[in-house]
């Protein structure tokens, strides 16, 4: 059974977030939103973000026109957005909206290119948490094979700066 089908089966017992829930939690919008849905959410402990990679995305115009490859930094951003979303969903509170700020990227490795037509899965697992800060281990996968991995850290700040 493939990972996406397995994750879909688990969604009945675990949480999920469609694009509307993600948009309500994150300030990111097209063209910088790097996750389409999140499945298999276990609070702020783990989740799988899904990104359907399309040839119509603007970064492929310059990276690279004759051989489109998703930029590695955008794969890392998708990992961070997945982790940030589950942290924000777990901490839903009244009052000013929270923002998630990227703090650290460690041990990033890229294994193979991600190209249009791929379904990119961000498998994020919490490593540690202190007050309003989280650290996650992430593996980005296509067809069950790791294409990138990293450890990312983020901080939640209450209220939006104007």
């Amino acid at each position: 059974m493939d990972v996406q089908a397995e994750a879909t089966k688990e969604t009945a017992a675990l949480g999920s977030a469609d694009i509307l829930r993600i948009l309500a939690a994150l300030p990111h919008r097209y063209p910088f939103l790097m996750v389409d849905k999140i499945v298999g959410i276990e609070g702020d402990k783990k989740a799988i973000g899904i990104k359907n990679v399309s040839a119509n995305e603007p970064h492929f115009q310059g990276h690279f026109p004759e051989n489109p490859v998703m930029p590695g930094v955008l794969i890392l951003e998708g990992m961070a957005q997945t982790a940030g979303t589950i942290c924000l969903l777990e901490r839903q509170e009244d009052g000013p909206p929270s923002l998630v700020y990227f703090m650290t990227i460690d041990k990033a490795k890229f294994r193979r290119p991600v190209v249009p037509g791929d379904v990119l899965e961000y498998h994020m697992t919490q490593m540690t948490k202190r007050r309003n800060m989280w650290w996650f281990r992430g593996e980005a996968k296509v067809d069950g094979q790791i294409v990138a991995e990293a450890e990312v850290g983020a901080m939640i700040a209450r209220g939006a700066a104007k």
Side-chain angles (χ1 to χ4, degrees), residues 103-139:
M103 291 180 4
T104 62
I105 304 170
D106 295 305
K107 301 180 182 172
K109 295 179 183 172
F110 301 96
R111 304 289 183 196
R112 79 162 189 82
V114 174
V115 298
D118 284 345
V119 176
L120 186 55
E121 300 173 350
Y122 308 115
H123 294 251
M124 304 304 296
T125 304
Q126 184 189 114
M127 294 169 32
T128 188
K129 173 183 172 182
R130 269 186 254 134
R131 294 185 307 242
N132 63 334
M133 296 177 284
W134 283 259
W135 288 267
F136 283 84
R137 165 110 177 97
E139 292 181 341

PDB file of all heavy atoms in Angstrom, residues 103-139:
ATOM      1  N   MET A 103      13.197  29.423  12.433  1.00  0.00           N
ATOM      2  CA  MET A 103      14.370  29.753  13.245  1.00  0.00           C
ATOM      3  C   MET A 103      15.636  29.068  12.756  1.00  0.00           C
ATOM      4  O   MET A 103      16.680  29.690  12.687  1.00  0.00           O
ATOM      5  CB  MET A 103      14.142  29.357  14.715  1.00  0.00           C
ATOM      6  CG  MET A 103      13.122  30.178  15.419  1.00  0.00           C
ATOM      7  SD  MET A 103      12.830  29.712  17.164  1.00  0.00           S
ATOM      8  CE  MET A 103      13.966  28.447  17.551  1.00  0.00           C
ATOM      9  N   THR A 104      15.537  27.773  12.465  1.00  0.00           N
ATOM     10  CA  THR A 104      16.742  27.023  12.111  1.00  0.00           C
ATOM     11  C   THR A 104      16.458  26.007  11.005  1.00  0.00           C
ATOM     12  O   THR A 104      15.344  25.518  10.864  1.00  0.00           O
ATOM     13  CB  THR A 104      17.308  26.242  13.315  1.00  0.00           C
ATOM     14  OG1 THR A 104      16.339  25.281  13.747  1.00  0.00           O
ATOM     15  CG2 THR A 104      17.659  27.152  14.478  1.00  0.00           C
ATOM     16  N   ILE A 105      17.498  25.718  10.240  1.00  0.00           N
ATOM     17  CA  ILE A 105      17.508  24.598   9.299  1.00  0.00           C
ATOM     18  C   ILE A 105      18.839  23.891   9.538  1.00  0.00           C
ATOM     19  O   ILE A 105      19.893  24.512   9.442  1.00  0.00           O
ATOM     20  CB  ILE A 105      17.475  25.052   7.831  1.00  0.00           C
ATOM     21  CG1 ILE A 105      16.277  25.937   7.549  1.00  0.00           C
ATOM     22  CG2 ILE A 105      17.485  23.838   6.903  1.00  0.00           C
ATOM     23  CD1 ILE A 105      16.335  26.604   6.190  1.00  0.00           C
ATOM     24  N   ASP A 106      18.790  22.632   9.880  1.00  0.00           N
ATOM     25  CA  ASP A 106      20.003  21.854  10.129  1.00  0.00           C
ATOM     26  C   ASP A 106      19.944  20.542   9.366  1.00  0.00           C
ATOM     27  O   ASP A 106      18.868  20.012   9.094  1.00  0.00           O
ATOM     28  CB  ASP A 106      20.162  21.556  11.625  1.00  0.00           C
ATOM     29  CG  ASP A 106      20.384  22.803  12.443  1.00  0.00           C
ATOM     30  OD1 ASP A 106      21.321  23.555  12.121  1.00  0.00           O
ATOM     31  OD2 ASP A 106      19.612  23.030  13.396  1.00  0.00           O
ATOM     32  N   LYS A 107      21.109  20.021   9.044  1.00  0.00           N
ATOM     33  CA  LYS A 107      21.252  18.696   8.437  1.00  0.00           C
ATOM     34  C   LYS A 107      20.427  18.521   7.167  1.00  0.00           C
ATOM     35  O   LYS A 107      19.887  17.446   6.909  1.00  0.00           O
ATOM     36  CB  LYS A 107      20.921  17.611   9.463  1.00  0.00           C
ATOM     37  CG  LYS A 107      21.807  17.656  10.695  1.00  0.00           C
ATOM     38  CD  LYS A 107      21.461  16.579  11.683  1.00  0.00           C
ATOM     39  CE  LYS A 107      22.358  16.717  12.914  1.00  0.00           C
ATOM     40  NZ  LYS A 107      21.942  15.813  13.966  1.00  0.00           N
ATOM     41  N   ALA A 108      20.300  19.591   6.376  1.00  0.00           N
ATOM     42  CA  ALA A 108      19.548  19.502   5.122  1.00  0.00           C
ATOM     43  C   ALA A 108      20.336  18.710   4.089  1.00  0.00           C
ATOM     44  O   ALA A 108      21.536  18.929   3.913  1.00  0.00           O
ATOM     45  CB  ALA A 108      19.238  20.895   4.593  1.00  0.00           C
ATOM     46  N   LYS A 109      19.648  17.787   3.440  1.00  0.00           N
ATOM     47  CA  LYS A 109      20.251  16.975   2.379  1.00  0.00           C
ATOM     48  C   LYS A 109      19.218  16.806   1.278  1.00  0.00           C
ATOM     49  O   LYS A 109      18.038  16.626   1.545  1.00  0.00           O
ATOM     50  CB  LYS A 109      20.654  15.595   2.907  1.00  0.00           C
ATOM     51  CG  LYS A 109      21.745  15.641   3.936  1.00  0.00           C
ATOM     52  CD  LYS A 109      22.082  14.249   4.433  1.00  0.00           C
ATOM     53  CE  LYS A 109      23.146  14.372   5.521  1.00  0.00           C
ATOM     54  NZ  LYS A 109      23.374  13.097   6.176  1.00  0.00           N
ATOM     55  N   PHE A 110      19.708  16.851   0.044  1.00  0.00           N
ATOM     56  CA  PHE A 110      18.842  16.671  -1.110  1.00  0.00           C
ATOM     57  C   PHE A 110      19.296  15.422  -1.850  1.00  0.00           C
ATOM     58  O   PHE A 110      20.470  15.290  -2.183  1.00  0.00           O
ATOM     59  CB  PHE A 110      18.889  17.918  -2.004  1.00  0.00           C
ATOM     60  CG  PHE A 110      18.450  19.141  -1.250  1.00  0.00           C
ATOM     61  CD1 PHE A 110      19.384  19.989  -0.670  1.00  0.00           C
ATOM     62  CD2 PHE A 110      17.106  19.425  -1.078  1.00  0.00           C
ATOM     63  CE1 PHE A 110      18.988  21.097   0.053  1.00  0.00           C
ATOM     64  CE2 PHE A 110      16.696  20.537  -0.356  1.00  0.00           C
ATOM     65  CZ  PHE A 110      17.641  21.371   0.210  1.00  0.00           C
ATOM     66  N   ARG A 111      18.371  14.505  -2.093  1.00  0.00           N
ATOM     67  CA  ARG A 111      18.703  13.191  -2.641  1.00  0.00           C
ATOM     68  C   ARG A 111      18.446  13.063  -4.140  1.00  0.00           C
ATOM     69  O   ARG A 111      19.185  12.392  -4.840  1.00  0.00           O
ATOM     70  CB  ARG A 111      17.898  12.110  -1.923  1.00  0.00           C
ATOM     71  CG  ARG A 111      18.083  12.118  -0.413  1.00  0.00           C
ATOM     72  CD  ARG A 111      19.441  11.635  -0.046  1.00  0.00           C
ATOM     73  NE  ARG A 111      19.564  11.586   1.418  1.00  0.00           N
ATOM     74  CZ  ARG A 111      20.706  11.488   2.041  1.00  0.00           C
ATOM     75  NH1 ARG A 111      21.837  11.445   1.357  1.00  0.00           N
ATOM     76  NH2 ARG A 111      20.749  11.442   3.340  1.00  0.00           N
ATOM     77  N   ARG A 112      17.365  13.668  -4.626  1.00  0.00           N
ATOM     78  CA  ARG A 112      17.055  13.604  -6.054  1.00  0.00           C
ATOM     79  C   ARG A 112      16.120  14.757  -6.402  1.00  0.00           C
ATOM     80  O   ARG A 112      15.425  15.288  -5.544  1.00  0.00           O
ATOM     81  CB  ARG A 112      16.477  12.264  -6.455  1.00  0.00           C
ATOM     82  CG  ARG A 112      15.027  12.036  -6.143  1.00  0.00           C
ATOM     83  CD  ARG A 112      14.483  10.871  -6.988  1.00  0.00           C
ATOM     84  NE  ARG A 112      13.063  10.721  -6.890  1.00  0.00           N
ATOM     85  CZ  ARG A 112      12.156  11.411  -7.575  1.00  0.00           C
ATOM     86  NH1 ARG A 112      12.515  12.364  -8.391  1.00  0.00           N
ATOM     87  NH2 ARG A 112      10.861  11.167  -7.436  1.00  0.00           N
ATOM     88  N   PRO A 113      16.067  15.153  -7.674  1.00  0.00           N
ATOM     89  CA  PRO A 113      15.217  16.276  -8.083  1.00  0.00           C
ATOM     90  C   PRO A 113      13.723  15.968  -7.938  1.00  0.00           C
ATOM     91  O   PRO A 113      13.291  14.825  -8.082  1.00  0.00           O
ATOM     92  CB  PRO A 113      15.561  16.482  -9.552  1.00  0.00           C
ATOM     93  CG  PRO A 113      16.860  15.783  -9.772  1.00  0.00           C
ATOM     94  CD  PRO A 113      16.910  14.667  -8.775  1.00  0.00           C
ATOM     95  N   VAL A 114      12.961  17.012  -7.664  1.00  0.00           N
ATOM     96  CA  VAL A 114      11.502  16.955  -7.655  1.00  0.00           C
ATOM     97  C   VAL A 114      11.051  17.723  -8.890  1.00  0.00           C
ATOM     98  O   VAL A 114      11.505  18.851  -9.124  1.00  0.00           O
ATOM     99  CB  VAL A 114      10.931  17.579  -6.366  1.00  0.00           C
ATOM    100  CG1 VAL A 114       9.414  17.640  -6.422  1.00  0.00           C
ATOM    101  CG2 VAL A 114      11.406  16.788  -5.149  1.00  0.00           C
ATOM    102  N   VAL A 115      10.192  17.110  -9.688  1.00  0.00           N
ATOM    103  CA  VAL A 115       9.806  17.680 -10.989  1.00  0.00           C
ATOM    104  C   VAL A 115       8.280  17.767 -11.093  1.00  0.00           C
ATOM    105  O   VAL A 115       7.555  17.121 -10.330  1.00  0.00           O
ATOM    106  CB  VAL A 115      10.388  16.836 -12.149  1.00  0.00           C
ATOM    107  CG1 VAL A 115      11.912  16.830 -12.107  1.00  0.00           C
ATOM    108  CG2 VAL A 115       9.848  15.414 -12.114  1.00  0.00           C
ATOM    109  N   PRO A 116       7.791  18.570 -12.044  1.00  0.00           N
ATOM    110  CA  PRO A 116       6.338  18.645 -12.241  1.00  0.00           C
ATOM    111  C   PRO A 116       5.731  17.258 -12.437  1.00  0.00           C
ATOM    112  O   PRO A 116       6.307  16.399 -13.099  1.00  0.00           O
ATOM    113  CB  PRO A 116       6.205  19.491 -13.511  1.00  0.00           C
ATOM    114  CG  PRO A 116       7.425  20.361 -13.495  1.00  0.00           C
ATOM    115  CD  PRO A 116       8.516  19.466 -12.949  1.00  0.00           C
ATOM    116  N   GLY A 117       4.575  17.072 -11.825  1.00  0.00           N
ATOM    117  CA  GLY A 117       3.893  15.778 -11.865  1.00  0.00           C
ATOM    118  C   GLY A 117       4.117  14.957 -10.604  1.00  0.00           C
ATOM    119  O   GLY A 117       3.352  14.040 -10.320  1.00  0.00           O
ATOM    120  N   ASP A 118       5.171  15.282  -9.835  1.00  0.00           N
ATOM    121  CA  ASP A 118       5.432  14.564  -8.584  1.00  0.00           C
ATOM    122  C   ASP A 118       4.424  14.966  -7.516  1.00  0.00           C
ATOM    123  O   ASP A 118       3.947  16.102  -7.480  1.00  0.00           O
ATOM    124  CB  ASP A 118       6.837  14.866  -8.055  1.00  0.00           C
ATOM    125  CG  ASP A 118       7.941  14.153  -8.815  1.00  0.00           C
ATOM    126  OD1 ASP A 118       7.642  13.200  -9.571  1.00  0.00           O
ATOM    127  OD2 ASP A 118       9.114  14.549  -8.658  1.00  0.00           O
ATOM    128  N   VAL A 119       4.099  14.028  -6.632  1.00  0.00           N
ATOM    129  CA  VAL A 119       3.342  14.316  -5.420  1.00  0.00           C
ATOM    130  C   VAL A 119       4.358  14.263  -4.289  1.00  0.00           C
ATOM    131  O   VAL A 119       4.903  13.204  -3.978  1.00  0.00           O
ATOM    132  CB  VAL A 119       2.197  13.304  -5.194  1.00  0.00           C
ATOM    133  CG1 VAL A 119       1.494  13.585  -3.878  1.00  0.00           C
ATOM    134  CG2 VAL A 119       1.209  13.352  -6.362  1.00  0.00           C
ATOM    135  N   LEU A 120       4.618  15.422  -3.721  1.00  0.00           N
ATOM    136  CA  LEU A 120       5.635  15.569  -2.688  1.00  0.00           C
ATOM    137  C   LEU A 120       4.964  15.424  -1.323  1.00  0.00           C
ATOM    138  O   LEU A 120       3.945  16.067  -1.044  1.00  0.00           O
ATOM    139  CB  LEU A 120       6.277  16.948  -2.850  1.00  0.00           C
ATOM    140  CG  LEU A 120       7.462  17.344  -2.015  1.00  0.00           C
ATOM    141  CD1 LEU A 120       8.597  16.346  -2.145  1.00  0.00           C
ATOM    142  CD2 LEU A 120       7.936  18.729  -2.450  1.00  0.00           C
ATOM    143  N   GLU A 121       5.518  14.557  -0.483  1.00  0.00           N
ATOM    144  CA  GLU A 121       4.987  14.335   0.872  1.00  0.00           C
ATOM    145  C   GLU A 121       6.021  14.810   1.878  1.00  0.00           C
ATOM    146  O   GLU A 121       7.181  14.403   1.821  1.00  0.00           O
ATOM    147  CB  GLU A 121       4.709  12.854   1.102  1.00  0.00           C
ATOM    148  CG  GLU A 121       3.699  12.275   0.146  1.00  0.00           C
ATOM    149  CD  GLU A 121       3.580  10.769   0.291  1.00  0.00           C
ATOM    150  OE1 GLU A 121       4.404  10.137   0.997  1.00  0.00           O
ATOM    151  OE2 GLU A 121       2.655  10.204  -0.312  1.00  0.00           O
ATOM    152  N   TYR A 122       5.589  15.676   2.806  1.00  0.00           N
ATOM    153  CA  TYR A 122       6.465  16.165   3.869  1.00  0.00           C
ATOM    154  C   TYR A 122       6.125  15.403   5.143  1.00  0.00           C
ATOM    155  O   TYR A 122       5.103  15.666   5.769  1.00  0.00           O
ATOM    156  CB  TYR A 122       6.244  17.658   4.113  1.00  0.00           C
ATOM    157  CG  TYR A 122       6.308  18.538   2.894  1.00  0.00           C
ATOM    158  CD1 TYR A 122       5.165  19.220   2.455  1.00  0.00           C
ATOM    159  CD2 TYR A 122       7.489  18.738   2.204  1.00  0.00           C
ATOM    160  CE1 TYR A 122       5.212  20.069   1.366  1.00  0.00           C
ATOM    161  CE2 TYR A 122       7.535  19.582   1.103  1.00  0.00           C
ATOM    162  CZ  TYR A 122       6.399  20.250   0.695  1.00  0.00           C
ATOM    163  OH  TYR A 122       6.444  21.097  -0.387  1.00  0.00           O
ATOM    164  N   HIS A 123       6.961  14.455   5.528  1.00  0.00           N
ATOM    165  CA  HIS A 123       6.748  13.661   6.741  1.00  0.00           C
ATOM    166  C   HIS A 123       7.466  14.373   7.886  1.00  0.00           C
ATOM    167  O   HIS A 123       8.693  14.329   7.968  1.00  0.00           O
ATOM    168  CB  HIS A 123       7.306  12.251   6.559  1.00  0.00           C
ATOM    169  CG  HIS A 123       6.576  11.462   5.521  1.00  0.00           C
ATOM    170  ND1 HIS A 123       5.754  10.409   5.843  1.00  0.00           N
ATOM    171  CD2 HIS A 123       6.517  11.583   4.167  1.00  0.00           C
ATOM    172  CE1 HIS A 123       5.229   9.907   4.736  1.00  0.00           C
ATOM    173  NE2 HIS A 123       5.685  10.610   3.710  1.00  0.00           N
ATOM    174  N   MET A 124       6.689  15.011   8.758  1.00  0.00           N
ATOM    175  CA  MET A 124       7.262  15.835   9.829  1.00  0.00           C
ATOM    176  C   MET A 124       6.990  15.187  11.182  1.00  0.00           C
ATOM    177  O   MET A 124       5.855  14.812  11.484  1.00  0.00           O
ATOM    178  CB  MET A 124       6.654  17.242   9.784  1.00  0.00           C
ATOM    179  CG  MET A 124       6.807  17.950   8.444  1.00  0.00           C
ATOM    180  SD  MET A 124       8.509  18.081   7.855  1.00  0.00           S
ATOM    181  CE  MET A 124       9.224  19.133   9.114  1.00  0.00           C
ATOM    182  N   THR A 125       8.047  15.081  11.996  1.00  0.00           N
ATOM    183  CA  THR A 125       7.944  14.494  13.335  1.00  0.00           C
ATOM    184  C   THR A 125       8.614  15.419  14.339  1.00  0.00           C
ATOM    185  O   THR A 125       9.778  15.790  14.161  1.00  0.00           O
ATOM    186  CB  THR A 125       8.628  13.109  13.377  1.00  0.00           C
ATOM    187  OG1 THR A 125       8.031  12.280  12.365  1.00  0.00           O
ATOM    188  CG2 THR A 125       8.462  12.459  14.739  1.00  0.00           C
ATOM    189  N   GLN A 126       7.888  15.765  15.389  1.00  0.00           N
ATOM    190  CA  GLN A 126       8.433  16.656  16.413  1.00  0.00           C
ATOM    191  C   GLN A 126       9.600  15.999  17.142  1.00  0.00           C
ATOM    192  O   GLN A 126       9.513  14.840  17.556  1.00  0.00           O
ATOM    193  CB  GLN A 126       7.346  17.024  17.428  1.00  0.00           C
ATOM    194  CG  GLN A 126       7.813  18.019  18.459  1.00  0.00           C
ATOM    195  CD  GLN A 126       6.805  18.201  19.576  1.00  0.00           C
ATOM    196  OE1 GLN A 126       7.084  17.841  20.702  1.00  0.00           O
ATOM    197  NE2 GLN A 126       5.633  18.726  19.267  1.00  0.00           N
ATOM    198  N   MET A 127      10.695  16.739  17.265  1.00  0.00           N
ATOM    199  CA  MET A 127      11.857  16.273  18.023  1.00  0.00           C
ATOM    200  C   MET A 127      11.784  16.787  19.456  1.00  0.00           C
ATOM    201  O   MET A 127      12.021  16.031  20.396  1.00  0.00           O
ATOM    202  CB  MET A 127      13.152  16.760  17.361  1.00  0.00           C
ATOM    203  CG  MET A 127      13.388  16.151  15.993  1.00  0.00           C
ATOM    204  SD  MET A 127      14.725  16.900  15.030  1.00  0.00           S
ATOM    205  CE  MET A 127      15.901  17.444  16.203  1.00  0.00           C
ATOM    206  N   THR A 128      11.486  18.077  19.604  1.00  0.00           N
ATOM    207  CA  THR A 128      11.399  18.674  20.935  1.00  0.00           C
ATOM    208  C   THR A 128      10.557  19.937  20.869  1.00  0.00           C
ATOM    209  O   THR A 128      10.311  20.480  19.796  1.00  0.00           O
ATOM    210  CB  THR A 128      12.804  18.967  21.518  1.00  0.00           C
ATOM    211  OG1 THR A 128      12.686  19.360  22.872  1.00  0.00           O
ATOM    212  CG2 THR A 128      13.511  20.060  20.739  1.00  0.00           C
ATOM    213  N   LYS A 129      10.133  20.393  22.039  1.00  0.00           N
ATOM    214  CA  LYS A 129       9.295  21.584  22.140  1.00  0.00           C
ATOM    215  C   LYS A 129       9.646  22.292  23.446  1.00  0.00           C
ATOM    216  O   LYS A 129       9.797  21.650  24.478  1.00  0.00           O
ATOM    217  CB  LYS A 129       7.824  21.164  22.136  1.00  0.00           C
ATOM    218  CG  LYS A 129       6.843  22.268  22.406  1.00  0.00           C
ATOM    219  CD  LYS A 129       5.439  21.684  22.453  1.00  0.00           C
ATOM    220  CE  LYS A 129       4.464  22.714  22.922  1.00  0.00           C
ATOM    221  NZ  LYS A 129       3.103  22.171  23.012  1.00  0.00           N
ATOM    222  N   ARG A 130       9.810  23.608  23.360  1.00  0.00           N
ATOM    223  CA  ARG A 130      10.022  24.435  24.557  1.00  0.00           C
ATOM    224  C   ARG A 130       9.182  25.686  24.430  1.00  0.00           C
ATOM    225  O   ARG A 130       9.368  26.450  23.486  1.00  0.00           O
ATOM    226  CB  ARG A 130      11.489  24.834  24.708  1.00  0.00           C
ATOM    227  CG  ARG A 130      12.261  23.845  25.545  1.00  0.00           C
ATOM    228  CD  ARG A 130      13.666  24.311  25.802  1.00  0.00           C
ATOM    229  NE  ARG A 130      14.512  23.477  24.951  1.00  0.00           N
ATOM    230  CZ  ARG A 130      15.478  23.901  24.192  1.00  0.00           C
ATOM    231  NH1 ARG A 130      15.786  25.170  24.149  1.00  0.00           N
ATOM    232  NH2 ARG A 130      16.174  23.070  23.459  1.00  0.00           N
ATOM    233  N   ARG A 131       8.253  25.894  25.347  1.00  0.00           N
ATOM    234  CA  ARG A 131       7.337  27.033  25.337  1.00  0.00           C
ATOM    235  C   ARG A 131       6.737  27.263  23.961  1.00  0.00           C
ATOM    236  O   ARG A 131       5.911  26.483  23.522  1.00  0.00           O
ATOM    237  CB  ARG A 131       8.028  28.284  25.882  1.00  0.00           C
ATOM    238  CG  ARG A 131       8.398  28.174  27.348  1.00  0.00           C
ATOM    239  CD  ARG A 131       8.955  29.473  27.862  1.00  0.00           C
ATOM    240  NE  ARG A 131      10.053  29.946  27.029  1.00  0.00           N
ATOM    241  CZ  ARG A 131      11.292  30.114  27.454  1.00  0.00           C
ATOM    242  NH1 ARG A 131      11.580  29.876  28.697  1.00  0.00           N
ATOM    243  NH2 ARG A 131      12.224  30.543  26.649  1.00  0.00           N
ATOM    244  N   ASN A 132       7.166  28.324  23.272  1.00  0.00           N
ATOM    245  CA  ASN A 132       6.592  28.656  21.964  1.00  0.00           C
ATOM    246  C   ASN A 132       7.529  28.285  20.810  1.00  0.00           C
ATOM    247  O   ASN A 132       7.428  28.841  19.730  1.00  0.00           O
ATOM    248  CB  ASN A 132       6.243  30.143  21.902  1.00  0.00           C
ATOM    249  CG  ASN A 132       7.473  31.024  22.030  1.00  0.00           C
ATOM    250  OD1 ASN A 132       8.477  30.635  22.605  1.00  0.00           O
ATOM    251  ND2 ASN A 132       7.394  32.224  21.492  1.00  0.00           N
ATOM    252  N   MET A 133       8.440  27.326  21.058  1.00  0.00           N
ATOM    253  CA  MET A 133       9.398  26.901  20.034  1.00  0.00           C
ATOM    254  C   MET A 133       9.310  25.389  19.817  1.00  0.00           C
ATOM    255  O   MET A 133       9.153  24.635  20.767  1.00  0.00           O
ATOM    256  CB  MET A 133      10.813  27.293  20.443  1.00  0.00           C
ATOM    257  CG  MET A 133      11.001  28.796  20.533  1.00  0.00           C
ATOM    258  SD  MET A 133      12.634  29.271  21.106  1.00  0.00           S
ATOM    259  CE  MET A 133      12.511  28.919  22.852  1.00  0.00           C
ATOM    260  N   TRP A 134       9.422  24.991  18.543  1.00  0.00           N
ATOM    261  CA  TRP A 134       9.359  23.583  18.149  1.00  0.00           C
ATOM    262  C   TRP A 134      10.523  23.254  17.232  1.00  0.00           C
ATOM    263  O   TRP A 134      10.945  24.095  16.436  1.00  0.00           O
ATOM    264  CB  TRP A 134       8.084  23.297  17.353  1.00  0.00           C
ATOM    265  CG  TRP A 134       6.832  23.172  18.131  1.00  0.00           C
ATOM    266  CD1 TRP A 134       6.206  22.021  18.488  1.00  0.00           C
ATOM    267  CD2 TRP A 134       6.005  24.238  18.604  1.00  0.00           C
ATOM    268  NE1 TRP A 134       5.048  22.299  19.163  1.00  0.00           N
ATOM    269  CE2 TRP A 134       4.898  23.667  19.253  1.00  0.00           C
ATOM    270  CE3 TRP A 134       6.092  25.629  18.559  1.00  0.00           C
ATOM    271  CZ2 TRP A 134       3.888  24.410  19.840  1.00  0.00           C
ATOM    272  CZ3 TRP A 134       5.088  26.384  19.152  1.00  0.00           C
ATOM    273  CH2 TRP A 134       4.011  25.759  19.781  1.00  0.00           C
ATOM    274  N   TRP A 135      10.984  21.998  17.298  1.00  0.00           N
ATOM    275  CA  TRP A 135      11.975  21.476  16.361  1.00  0.00           C
ATOM    276  C   TRP A 135      11.430  20.177  15.790  1.00  0.00           C
ATOM    277  O   TRP A 135      10.941  19.320  16.528  1.00  0.00           O
ATOM    278  CB  TRP A 135      13.311  21.240  17.054  1.00  0.00           C
ATOM    279  CG  TRP A 135      13.996  22.524  17.390  1.00  0.00           C
ATOM    280  CD1 TRP A 135      14.914  23.187  16.635  1.00  0.00           C
ATOM    281  CD2 TRP A 135      13.808  23.316  18.569  1.00  0.00           C
ATOM    282  NE1 TRP A 135      15.299  24.356  17.270  1.00  0.00           N
ATOM    283  CE2 TRP A 135      14.642  24.447  18.455  1.00  0.00           C
ATOM    284  CE3 TRP A 135      13.006  23.197  19.706  1.00  0.00           C
ATOM    285  CZ2 TRP A 135      14.700  25.442  19.422  1.00  0.00           C
ATOM    286  CZ3 TRP A 135      13.063  24.182  20.675  1.00  0.00           C
ATOM    287  CH2 TRP A 135      13.909  25.283  20.521  1.00  0.00           C
ATOM    288  N   PHE A 136      11.515  20.057  14.469  1.00  0.00           N
ATOM    289  CA  PHE A 136      10.977  18.903  13.762  1.00  0.00           C
ATOM    290  C   PHE A 136      12.044  18.269  12.884  1.00  0.00           C
ATOM    291  O   PHE A 136      12.915  18.941  12.348  1.00  0.00           O
ATOM    292  CB  PHE A 136       9.820  19.319  12.832  1.00  0.00           C
ATOM    293  CG  PHE A 136       8.525  19.571  13.537  1.00  0.00           C
ATOM    294  CD1 PHE A 136       8.267  20.800  14.125  1.00  0.00           C
ATOM    295  CD2 PHE A 136       7.557  18.586  13.601  1.00  0.00           C
ATOM    296  CE1 PHE A 136       7.070  21.038  14.767  1.00  0.00           C
ATOM    297  CE2 PHE A 136       6.353  18.808  14.238  1.00  0.00           C
ATOM    298  CZ  PHE A 136       6.106  20.049  14.832  1.00  0.00           C
ATOM    299  N   ARG A 137      11.923  16.965  12.712  1.00  0.00           N
ATOM    300  CA  ARG A 137      12.706  16.221  11.723  1.00  0.00           C
ATOM    301  C   ARG A 137      11.771  15.986  10.558  1.00  0.00           C
ATOM    302  O   ARG A 137      10.628  15.548  10.739  1.00  0.00           O
ATOM    303  CB  ARG A 137      13.157  14.888  12.316  1.00  0.00           C
ATOM    304  CG  ARG A 137      13.664  13.906  11.278  1.00  0.00           C
ATOM    305  CD  ARG A 137      15.151  13.689  11.391  1.00  0.00           C
ATOM    306  NE  ARG A 137      15.582  12.688  10.440  1.00  0.00           N
ATOM    307  CZ  ARG A 137      16.108  12.987   9.248  1.00  0.00           C
ATOM    308  NH1 ARG A 137      16.275  14.220   8.893  1.00  0.00           N
ATOM    309  NH2 ARG A 137      16.491  12.027   8.441  1.00  0.00           N
ATOM    310  N   GLY A 138      12.239  16.291   9.357  1.00  0.00           N
ATOM    311  CA  GLY A 138      11.393  16.131   8.192  1.00  0.00           C
ATOM    312  C   GLY A 138      12.050  15.311   7.111  1.00  0.00           C
ATOM    313  O   GLY A 138      13.261  15.381   6.905  1.00  0.00           O
ATOM    314  N   GLU A 139      11.234  14.527   6.441  1.00  0.00           N
ATOM    315  CA  GLU A 139      11.656  13.801   5.243  1.00  0.00           C
ATOM    316  C   GLU A 139      10.652  14.125   4.143  1.00  0.00           C
ATOM    317  O   GLU A 139       9.451  13.945   4.322  1.00  0.00           O
ATOM    318  CB  GLU A 139      11.666  12.289   5.481  1.00  0.00           C
ATOM    319  CG  GLU A 139      12.723  11.828   6.447  1.00  0.00           C
ATOM    320  CD  GLU A 139      12.727  10.317   6.647  1.00  0.00           C
ATOM    321  OE1 GLU A 139      11.696   9.657   6.330  1.00  0.00           O
ATOM    322  OE2 GLU A 139      13.753   9.814   7.105  1.00  0.00           O
TER     323      GLU A 139
END
